[in-house]
């Protein structure tokens, strides 16, 4: 026998206090992750890169800068990528040179980068490995960007190519790639290299290939002298490269004496002070927000999809005293490539799931997952409670009969239809949110004075808002009054659905799962038709996925120390939505479909419960 | 009954037709959860191509279906989609028919009075066949399996027909379909015992070793079964004029050479094992599938239909290449046991775990194969959890069934000798 159910009120209170405690514990756990004693020091796990000595001798920084200037001049003359000059220069440095042309029509104009019909060419040269059977390759890439950016990176890339050519150590092909139109070019090149076409782009096939790519670095340098190097790890869908790649970068920065940052933040040693802790916490939260966005934060981001460990290295020139010249950066890259050249198998020894509060510290999956688990357990507790309320015998009790609870037919009794209708309608709204913005842009442009991009974003917001009004109380059409049991079953379904959904999301992209859990778990836990309508509705809207995105934009700007006004923040929010849709269409980022097709309908189910009559 | 059935069929067909035309139709047949090396449509196509070229379809190590199947598809290849739709439809309808014929005697006077609430009213009984059909046709697992054109749908149809014939009491047809099912995948061999028990029960022949009528019928049924099995095997031999298929089909099922991950328990275990233990553990794993027949037949000899359910569930959990289609088959039985609902103890836990695992399979597969950030241990952990949940589900139903029987004979509210309420403990 299990003891008779406690009075409803005290049980509710107990459950509420457990939920609040779990929630607070989850948040506290997460914030504690940035506290240095709770984190681990990074260490090189890969033997092949650990103990071997490398001497860096790259001498030709000045000449690389001169090449960069020459490249800039040709770029200006041609008004884009100077393909012929690049081919000639690479050939003169002894590489096998190939080009790949690509065209891509964006689903709607990208206003941030001002492009719609994209046409470009990638140029790459392969340095064949003299010492091994050429079955593996490494990639060094530099984007050919608009304006005056990144000329130094291309110069250094060519300088390194020339220098590497004269060395005999190489056991892997080294591919020097200059890609146009940043990620679009990179996507075309990678898909060409691997014979895939996941997003329906149009590009010419590659004429030359190296072996299977083991690792890649993308270089971004925009000035002759830099003060620090920033490491960018976050790739498509929040995927991260193996931690050993970050360790390698950090180790060489230490060895050569270059200031290195992550998320643009230097490391600090005063972890026991409040400001030291808040610095680490900010760094970690920036990483969480970037990872949650699911977009590639550098050109390396698309490599990760092909099992290639990759990172972007970005030169930063701020007003610090400490200056580093191009020769030093060249030596750093030489060292890294020499070590990567020693790899006997793909990088796999170290972690793939981690958060970094600083470059020398990391939090692994075992440490951060409990924070999510504590939030998810609230959903399961609530579901269990509802199940008990619905009158079935709770799991684990010895006796099904003894409770004497009358079970009519278990959960299906309120009628499958009254549950199924809101579920179906919510998902239809989700499908509309996913498909309509792009489909209906032409119509919107004809009827309203807006640009295509605005049309897409505003349609999305309109459907999102319309969803709030549309689906609730559909069950009444079918069944008359909704029953008390009806909403309980619906809520049980919604809770389990949300728990599974968030769990899966957190496995693939912890940051996204955690941020969504932070906002959705409270409303999922406490929403009932009996709470005060206006207040609950306001809270629900404030915690809806769309608003969460808005807060994330503001927090991100705040953490980057570039706070924005409300007006600018709103504009930024709109551009973030359009970027999200574009990322999905161009590179196959999954955040937009996840939010539109699954998370939003789930939130609508909860909204339905609030207005259950 | 006809109207909801038509509606159900239309809905089921529509869902499948839509999925066949959508982009998912290319993705689903690649999923290891949905197709196994035995029943993948891609492999059947390969076998057909070899057959057309005049080469034995078993020449490569790709095709592992039985010869009759390949000749069957040889004639209907152009209508494959329709065949698969019809097959699932068939299973649905067959389930519908067989449970209509089920009679649960309302012998109320035989039982203590307070058990009345344990016995189903005719009204409840009325909808069970429809629910069973619905559970099968609208089960996402069945839909996936059908869209992937897994030949598992055919096997399910054969087993369903076998159950139908058995329930109708036609011993010849029952034996033929059982032989066909055995011919397809060996494991349904264990359904021989429940079928025999059921037919004996129908003919009012007690299971008694001393009775000649018992032996007579048993011999008769065994003979029919073995005879038709023999005919099928010989027919296969004459079609291909070689015995290749024996090692390629049955050897493949029993010795488990293909360790592609799936939702079963074999692949990880045998991938990790030292080679010289392999034979021993294969024997252990395979005997495990068949072993439960004996104790279950003894315990459930009065309830052969429930025994069939138990056996199908055990096969689909422990067989060497399970897919979600197999699971759908035994899940279709669950509405037939809805009178056991009140005795189930873990149903919430089990359904949540099954649900979560089904969602986690593709996620962990993605992390392992595409992202490269997880490894096989993650996937196997979920497989293990999934199977534990299934075992819990089946044993929960088994316990509930025994419990109900106990209450039917001893009364619902048990009293101890001293008058206090008693609880039952399963030992």
């Amino acid at each position: 026998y299990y003891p008779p159910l406690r009075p409803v009120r005290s049980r509710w209170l107990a459950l509420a206090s457990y939920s609040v405690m779990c929630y607070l514990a989850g948040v506290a756990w997460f914030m504690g992750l940035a506290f240095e004693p709770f984190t681990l020091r990074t260490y090189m796990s890969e033997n092949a890169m650990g103990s071997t000595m490398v001497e860096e001798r790259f001498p030709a920084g000045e000449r690389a800068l001169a090449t960069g200037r020459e490249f800039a001049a040709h770029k200006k003359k041609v008004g884009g990528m100077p393909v012929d000059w690049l081919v000639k220069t690479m050939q003169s440095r002894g590489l096998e040179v190939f080009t790949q042309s690509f065209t891509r029509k964006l689903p709607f104009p990208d206003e941030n980068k001002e492009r719609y019909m994209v046409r470009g060419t990638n140029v790459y040269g392969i340095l064949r490995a003299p010492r091994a059977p050429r079955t593996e390759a490494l990639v060094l890439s530099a984007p050919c960007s608009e304006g005056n950016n990144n000329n130094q990176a291309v110069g250094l890339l060519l300088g390194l190519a020339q220098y590497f050519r004269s060395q005999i150590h190489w056991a892997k092909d080294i591919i020097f790639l200059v890609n146009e139109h940043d990620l679009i070019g990179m996507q075309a090149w990678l898909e060409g290299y691997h014979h895939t076409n996941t997003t329906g782009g149009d590009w010419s096939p590659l004429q030359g290939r190296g072996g299977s790519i083991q690792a890649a670095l993308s270089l971004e340098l925009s000035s002759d002298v830099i003060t620090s190097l920033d490491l960018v790890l976050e790739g498509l869908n929040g995927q991260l490269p193996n931690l050993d790649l970050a360790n390698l970068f950090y180790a060489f920065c230490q060895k050569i004496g270059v200031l290195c940052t992550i998320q643009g933040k230097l490391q600090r040693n005063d972890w026991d002070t409040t400001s030291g802790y808040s610095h680490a916490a900010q760094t970690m939260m920036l990483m969480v927000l970037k990872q949650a966005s699911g977009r590639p934060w550098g050109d390396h981001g698309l490599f990760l999809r092909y099992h290639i460990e990759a990172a972007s290295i970005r030169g930063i020139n701020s007003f610090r005293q400490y200056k580093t010249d191009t020769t030093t950066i060249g030596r750093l890259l030489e060292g890294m490539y020499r070590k990567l050249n020693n790899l006997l198998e793909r990088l796999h020894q170290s972690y793939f799931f981690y958060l970094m509060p600083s470059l020398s510290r990391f939090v692994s999956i075992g440490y951060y997952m409990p924070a999510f688990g504590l939030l998810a357990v609230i959903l399961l507790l609530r579901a269990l409670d509802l199940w008990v309320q619905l009158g079935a015998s709770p799991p684990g009790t010895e006796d099904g009969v003894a409770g004497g609870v009358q079970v009519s037919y278990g959960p299906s009794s309120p009628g499958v239809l009254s549950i199924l209708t809101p579920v179906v309608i919510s998902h239809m709204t989700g499908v509309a949110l996913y498909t309509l913005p792009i489909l209906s842009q032409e119509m919107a442009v004809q009827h309203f004075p807006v640009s295509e991009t605005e049309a897409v974003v505003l349609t999305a917001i309109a459907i999102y808002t319309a969803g709030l009004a549309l689906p609730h109380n559909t069950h009444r059409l079918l069944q008359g009054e909704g029953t008390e049991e009806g909403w309980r079953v619906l809520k049980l379904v919604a809770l389990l659905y949300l728990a599974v959904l968030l769990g899966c999301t957190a496995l693939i992209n912890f940051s996204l799962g955690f941020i969504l859990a932070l906002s959705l778990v409270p409303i999922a836990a406490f929403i009932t038709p009996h709470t005060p309508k206006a207040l609950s509705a306001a809270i629900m809207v404030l915690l809806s996925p769309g608003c969460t995105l808005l807060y994330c934009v503001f927090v991100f700007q705040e953490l980057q120390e570039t706070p924005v006004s409300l007006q600018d923040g709103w504009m930024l929010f709109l551009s973030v939505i359009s970027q999200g849709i574009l990322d999905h269409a161009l590179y196959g980022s999954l955040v937009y479909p996840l939010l539109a097709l699954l998370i939003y309908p789930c939130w609508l189910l909860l909204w339905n419960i609030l207005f259950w009559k | 009954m006809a109207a909801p059935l038509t509606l159900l069929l239309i809905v089921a067909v529509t869902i499948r037709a839509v999925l066949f035309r959508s982009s998912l139709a290319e993705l689903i047949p690649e999923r290891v959860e949905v197709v196994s090396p035995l029943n993948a449509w891609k492999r059947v196509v390969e076998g057909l191509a070899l057959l057309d070229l005049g080469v034995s379809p078993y020449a490569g190590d790709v095709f592992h279906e039985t010869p009759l199947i390949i000749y069957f598809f040889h004639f209907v290849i152009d209508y494959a989609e329709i065949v698969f739709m019809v097959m699932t439809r068939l299973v649905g309808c067959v389930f519908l028919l067989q449970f209509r014929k089920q009679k649960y005697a309302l012998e109320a006077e035989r039982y203590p009075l307070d058990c009345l609430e344990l016995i189903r009213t005719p009204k409840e009984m009325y909808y069970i066949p429809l629910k069973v059909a619905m559970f099968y046709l609208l089960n996402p697992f069945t839909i996936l399996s059908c869209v992937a054109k897994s030949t598992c749908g055919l096997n399910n149809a054969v087993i369903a027909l076998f159950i139908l014939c058995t329930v109708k009491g036609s011993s010849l047809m029952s034996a033929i379909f059982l032989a066909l099912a055995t011919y397809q995948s060996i494991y349904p061999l264990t359904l021989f015992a429940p079928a025999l028990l059921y037919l004996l029960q129908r003919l009012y022949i007690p299971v008694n070793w001393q009775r000649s009528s018992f032996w007579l019928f048993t011999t008769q049924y065994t003979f029919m079964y073995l005879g038709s099995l023999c005919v099928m095997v010989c027919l296969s031999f004459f079609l291909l004029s070689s015995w290749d298929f024996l090692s390629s089909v049955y050897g493949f099922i029993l010795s488990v050479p293909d360790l592609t991950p799936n939702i079963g328990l074999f692949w990880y275990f045998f991938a990790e094992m030292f080679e010289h233990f392999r034979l021993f553990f294969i024997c252990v794993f395979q005997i495990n599938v068949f072993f439960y027949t004996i104790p279950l037949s003894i315990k459930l000899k009065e309830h052969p239909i429930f025994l069939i359910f138990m056996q199908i569930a055990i096969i689909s959990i422990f067989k060497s290449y399970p897919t979600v289609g197999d699971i759908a088959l035994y899940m279709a039985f669950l509405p037939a046991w809805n009178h056991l609902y009140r005795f189930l103890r873990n149903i919430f836990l089990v359904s949540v775990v099954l649900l979560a695992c089904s969602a986690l399979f593709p996620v962990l597969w993605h992390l392992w194969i595409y992202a490269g950030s997880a490894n096989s241990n993650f996937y196997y952990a979920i497989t293990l959890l999934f199977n534990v949940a299934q075992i819990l589900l089946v044993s929960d139903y088994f316990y509930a069934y025994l419990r109900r029987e106990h209450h039917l004979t001893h009364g619902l509210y048990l009293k101890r000798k001293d008058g206090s309420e008693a609880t039952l403990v399963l030992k």
Side-chain angles (χ1 to χ4, degrees):
Chain A
Y1 294 101
Y2 63 97
L5 297 179
R6 273 193 274 172
V8 175
R9 185 143 192 89
S10 80
R11 211 181 60 191
W12 189 88
L13 273 179
L15 194 64
S17 55
Y18 286 140
S19 305
V20 171
M21 261 159 49
C22 277
Y23 189 82
L24 292 180
V27 175
W29 188 295
F30 177 73
M31 293 315 293
L33 293 176
F35 190 51
E36 196 167 307
F38 297 158
T39 59
L40 297 173
R41 176 169 286 282
T42 53
Y43 55 92
M44 188 72 82
S45 303
E46 177 62 58
N47 275 331
M49 298 199 307
S51 53
T52 46
M53 293 295 288
V54 176
E55 197 177 343
E56 309 84 22
R57 290 183 171 159
F58 177 72
E62 285 309 312
R63 207 192 305 163
L65 286 180
T67 323
R69 280 191 285 275
E70 203 180 327
F71 170 75
H74 282 276
K75 187 160 95 173
K76 208 171 215 169
K77 204 165 73 188
V78 185
M81 178 113 153
V83 177
D84 296 335
W85 180 84
L86 264 177
V87 170
K88 216 166 61 200
T89 320
M90 279 192 181
Q91 268 165 353
S92 74
R93 280 156 170 73
L95 305 180
E96 280 178 37
V97 189
F98 306 93
T99 60
Q100 181 204 27
S101 58
F102 58 90
T103 54
R104 188 79 212 250
K105 184 169 172 278
L106 273 55
F108 56 91
D110 181 355
E111 289 191 345
N112 280 22
K113 289 179 176 156
E114 293 176 350
R115 57 190 183 189
Y116 183 46
M117 288 290 298
V118 179
R119 188 181 300 277
T121 314
N122 293 323
V123 179
Y124 63 103
I126 304 176
L127 171 64
R128 295 294 180 187
R131 299 190 54 150
R134 302 173 180 181
T135 51
E136 293 175 339
L138 301 171
V139 172
L140 176 61
S141 79
C144 166
S145 333
E146 318 273 301
N148 256 337
N149 289 330
N150 266 342
N151 298 331
Q152 285 81 354
V154 178
L156 183 56
L157 176 128
L158 293 170
L160 280 172
Q162 187 169 22
Y163 176 69
F164 283 0
R165 178 83 175 83
S166 64
Q167 290 187 317
I168 50 153
H169 320 289
W170 304 111
K172 295 177 174 36
D173 292 346
I174 300 180
I175 302 174
F176 296 91
L177 167 69
V178 181
N179 56 313
E180 203 178 355
H181 297 297
D182 49 66
L183 283 164
I184 297 183
M186 194 54 100
Q187 166 95 348
W189 190 80
L190 276 170
E191 299 216 321
Y193 198 93
H194 294 100
H195 279 303
T196 55
N197 195 342
T198 49
T199 48
D202 182 22
W203 43 76
S204 60
L206 295 191
Q207 298 302 322
R209 278 193 181 70
S212 89
I213 303 173
Q214 305 291 303
L217 288 179
S218 172
L219 187 63
E220 293 174 32
L221 284 183
S222 296
S223 59
D224 293 356
V225 187
I226 58 145
T227 51
S228 61
L229 283 176
D230 189 42
L231 182 69
V232 186
L233 297 170
E234 299 84 4
L236 188 70
N237 291 327
Q239 211 180 329
L240 300 170
N242 194 288
L243 188 58
D244 267 345
L245 199 65
N247 296 339
L248 182 68
F249 173 76
Y250 182 65
F252 270 96
C253 285
Q254 296 291 92
K255 182 180 175 195
I256 296 183
V258 183
L259 274 186
C260 52
T261 60
I262 188 162
Q263 322 300 348
K265 303 228 181 236
L266 275 174
Q267 194 165 340
R268 286 169 58 153
N269 292 323
D270 52 345
W271 59 268
D272 44 357
T273 64
T274 322
S275 66
Y277 166 74
S278 97
H279 184 80
Q282 282 176 20
T283 316
M284 190 180 74
M285 297 221 323
L286 267 174
M287 179 159 186
V288 166
L289 286 171
K290 280 186 178 178
Q291 197 190 9
S293 76
R295 55 181 320 201
W297 283 82
D299 282 3
H300 72 282
L302 297 173
F303 280 99
L304 298 171
R305 177 194 276 167
Y306 297 92
H307 249 258
I308 300 165
E309 307 315 320
S312 285
I313 296 176
R314 193 168 284 164
I316 291 179
N317 193 7
S318 60
F319 300 103
R320 290 202 190 92
Q321 294 295 316
Y322 192 89
K323 305 279 185 202
T324 307
D325 62 353
T326 317
T327 312
T328 318
I329 303 168
R331 281 172 51 211
L332 179 104
L333 287 170
E334 183 197 352
M336 286 180 74
Y337 273 86
R338 286 283 300 279
K339 287 264 188 175
L340 289 172
N341 184 48
N342 288 342
L343 280 183
L344 295 175
E345 44 190 337
R346 282 175 191 277
L347 287 173
H348 67 279
Q349 300 274 8
S350 195
Y351 296 85
F352 284 95
F353 299 101
Y354 52 87
L355 295 175
M356 299 189 91
S358 74
L359 246 183
S360 63
R361 293 268 162 187
F362 76 102
V363 186
S364 77
I365 183 167
Y367 289 78
Y368 65 59
M369 260 315 183
F372 175 81
L374 282 168
L375 296 189
V377 96
I378 299 174
L379 296 177
L380 295 180
L381 273 180
R382 286 281 160 179
L384 198 61
D385 177 53
L386 278 174
W387 180 258
V388 174
Q389 282 181 26
L390 279 167
S393 61
T397 50
E398 182 55 38
D399 207 321
V401 183
V405 193
Q406 284 301 317
V407 190
S408 46
Y409 253 98
S412 60
S413 54
V416 180
L417 275 182
S418 71
I419 308 306
L420 209 57
T421 354
V423 174
V424 169
I425 291 185
S426 305
H427 281 87
M428 297 300 262
T429 322
V431 171
L433 180 60
Y434 175 65
T435 50
L436 283 186
I438 290 183
L439 283 182
S440 67
Q441 51 168 322
E442 270 179 36
M443 210 168 69
V445 170
Q446 280 167 8
H447 291 86
F448 300 99
V450 287
S451 72
E452 271 101 343
T453 318
E454 283 170 333
V456 170
V457 174
L458 294 177
T459 321
I461 295 179
I463 295 173
Y464 186 88
T465 328
L468 306 191
L470 183 71
H472 56 78
N473 282 337
T474 38
H475 57 93
R476 289 172 74 195
L477 295 175
L478 292 157
Q479 302 230 321
E481 289 299 287
T483 54
E484 191 71 359
E485 257 193 347
W487 73 261
R488 290 220 169 95
V489 176
L490 185 61
K491 186 169 172 185
L492 182 65
V493 171
L495 281 173
L496 292 179
Y497 184 30
L498 190 65
V500 171
L501 197 56
L502 290 179
C504 291
T505 313
L507 268 180
I508 293 180
N509 184 343
F510 166 76
S511 305
L512 184 60
F514 187 74
I515 289 176
L516 287 174
L518 271 186
S519 66
L520 288 175
V521 165
I523 52 176
F526 286 102
I527 213 73
T528 63
H530 308 306
T531 47
K533 286 273 181 308
L535 181 67
S536 316
I539 293 176
M540 274 204 71
V541 170
L542 286 178
L543 289 178
S544 77
C547 292
T548 313
L549 181 61
L550 184 65
Y551 309 143
C552 286
V553 170
F554 280 108
V555 172
F556 183 71
Q557 293 298 328
E558 195 63 42
L559 288 173
Q560 281 210 315
E561 292 160 15
T562 51
V564 285
S565 65
L566 277 180
Q567 179 78 31
D568 294 345
W570 176 254
M571 296 313 289
L572 208 57
F573 171 65
L574 296 186
S575 90
V576 163
I577 296 177
S578 73
Q579 291 298 315
I581 300 178
L582 271 181
D583 281 346
H584 171 57
L586 290 179
Y587 321 120
S589 151
L590 291 175
V591 175
Y592 175 58
L594 174 79
L595 288 180
L597 294 176
L598 297 170
I599 301 282
Y600 174 63
C602 196
W603 181 84
L604 277 183
L605 284 182
L606 297 171
W607 182 257
N608 244 305
I609 294 165
L610 177 62
F611 288 101
W612 189 274
K613 279 184 189 140
Chain B
M1 183 71 92
L5 177 64
T6 325
L7 188 71
L8 176 66
L9 285 182
I10 291 173
V11 171
V13 172
T14 320
I15 293 176
R16 285 168 176 75
V18 167
L19 281 174
F20 267 127
R21 300 281 169 271
S22 74
S23 56
L24 286 176
E26 284 166 22
L27 178 74
I28 293 172
E30 303 292 322
R31 303 293 321 169
V32 287
E33 297 89 2
V34 184
V35 297
S36 72
L38 277 179
N39 57 25
W41 177 243
K42 238 164 61 177
R43 291 170 184 258
V44 176
V45 172
E46 171 76 12
L48 278 173
L50 287 177
L51 191 68
D52 286 342
L53 290 173
V55 185
S56 159
Y58 302 103
D61 189 34
V62 173
F63 181 71
H64 300 289
E65 266 296 353
T66 49
L68 289 185
I69 281 284
I70 196 165
Y71 274 93
F72 174 67
F73 277 112
H74 191 63
F75 295 112
V76 297
I77 180 77
D78 297 334
Y79 314 104
E81 269 181 30
I82 300 167
V83 168
F84 280 106
M85 289 231 208
V86 170
M87 281 305 164
T88 31
R89 203 69 9 76
L90 193 67
V91 181
C93 298
V94 164
F95 274 133
L96 196 75
L97 285 174
Q98 78 200 13
F99 285 104
R100 181 179 273 174
K101 294 294 161 198
Q102 281 280 353
K103 53 182 196 318
Y104 283 84
L106 280 168
E107 303 158 296
E109 63 273 22
R110 251 181 61 191
Y111 297 121
L113 204 60
D114 57 352
C115 295
L116 267 181
E117 59 182 284
L118 287 182
I119 296 166
R120 289 185 287 190
T121 61
K123 186 168 171 289
E124 284 169 27
M125 293 285 298
Y126 183 72
Y127 284 109
I128 285 177
L130 193 68
K131 278 189 183 166
V132 169
M134 196 168 84
F135 245 65
Y136 188 74
L137 289 177
L138 298 183
N139 189 337
F141 288 160
T142 326
I143 295 175
L144 285 177
S145 167
C146 175
V147 172
K149 297 195 213 164
S150 151
T151 52
C152 175
L154 288 179
N155 295 352
N156 286 355
V158 171
I159 293 178
L161 283 171
F162 151 71
I163 300 170
L164 176 70
C165 297
T166 314
V167 169
K168 289 210 163 185
S170 143
S171 52
L172 177 65
M173 291 310 284
S174 154
I176 290 176
F177 279 116
L178 181 59
L180 195 57
T182 315
Y183 168 76
Q184 283 288 13
S185 61
I186 298 186
Y187 294 114
L189 175 66
T190 58
L191 298 178
F192 181 82
L196 183 65
L197 285 173
Y198 186 85
L199 292 168
L200 285 170
Q201 208 179 57
R202 250 184 96 90
L203 297 171
Y204 302 106
I205 303 172
V207 182
N208 187 340
W209 308 108
Q210 268 106 46
R211 296 283 283 269
S212 64
S213 60
F214 167 74
W215 285 112
L216 188 68
F217 186 78
T218 308
T219 326
Q220 205 182 346
Y221 191 68
T222 316
F223 184 74
M224 284 190 286
Y225 170 66
L226 289 179
S228 35
L229 194 60
C230 207
V231 168
M232 281 166 210
V233 173
C234 292
L235 187 64
S236 311
F237 171 72
F238 290 123
L239 280 174
L240 293 174
S241 47
S242 86
W243 292 108
D244 279 354
F245 74 94
L246 283 183
S247 62
S248 254
V249 178
Y250 306 118
F252 188 78
I253 293 174
L254 290 177
S255 69
V256 205
D258 191 320
L259 299 179
T260 318
N262 57 29
I263 56 171
L265 298 165
F266 279 68
W267 62 274
Y268 186 86
F269 201 73
F270 286 98
E272 295 288 312
M273 186 178 303
F274 289 121
E275 195 58 35
H276 49 273
F277 292 127
R278 196 183 156 89
L279 183 65
F280 172 68
F281 276 104
I282 280 192
C283 294
V284 171
F285 269 60
Q286 298 287 10
I287 289 172
N288 179 45
V289 188
F290 296 98
F291 177 74
Y292 299 100
T293 317
I294 303 162
L296 283 179
S297 305
I298 294 169
K299 188 76 195 167
L300 291 173
K301 64 172 183 284
E302 308 293 328
H303 314 283
I305 294 294
F306 191 75
L307 182 55
I308 288 183
F309 161 73
M310 292 294 294
Q311 289 291 0
I312 293 180
I314 285 169
I315 290 172
S316 79
I317 296 170
F318 293 117
K319 74 192 278 192
S320 47
Y321 302 102
T323 60
V324 291
D326 299 310
I327 295 167
L329 183 66
Y330 83 79
M331 283 199 168
F333 278 82
L334 298 184
W337 318 124
N338 61 5
H339 54 294
L340 303 180
Y341 185 80
R342 57 183 301 159
F343 297 112
L344 295 178
R345 295 171 303 169
N346 298 324
I347 188 72
F348 179 68
L349 184 73
V350 167
S351 33
V352 170
V353 171
L354 285 180
L355 193 78
C357 286
S358 314
L360 284 173
F361 274 128
V363 168
L364 289 170
W365 181 262
H366 170 87
L367 286 181
W368 174 21
I369 301 296
Y370 293 99
S373 38
N375 54 39
S376 57
N377 299 318
F378 289 58
Y379 192 77
Y380 188 63
I382 290 303
T383 312
L384 217 51
L385 195 61
F386 189 69
N387 282 305
V388 167
Q390 285 191 73
I391 292 168
L392 265 181
L393 179 76
V394 173
S395 52
D396 212 10
Y397 267 95
F398 181 58
Y399 172 71
Y401 199 89
L402 294 183
R403 182 85 192 272
R404 178 173 174 273
E405 288 307 311
H406 185 84
H407 282 302
L408 276 178
T409 44
H410 294 95
L412 188 52
Y413 300 105
L414 300 178
K415 298 270 189 249
R416 283 215 188 95
K417 281 191 184 125
D418 57 0
S420 63
E421 291 189 63
T423 50
L424 281 179
V425 180
L426 184 69
K427 279 185 179 160

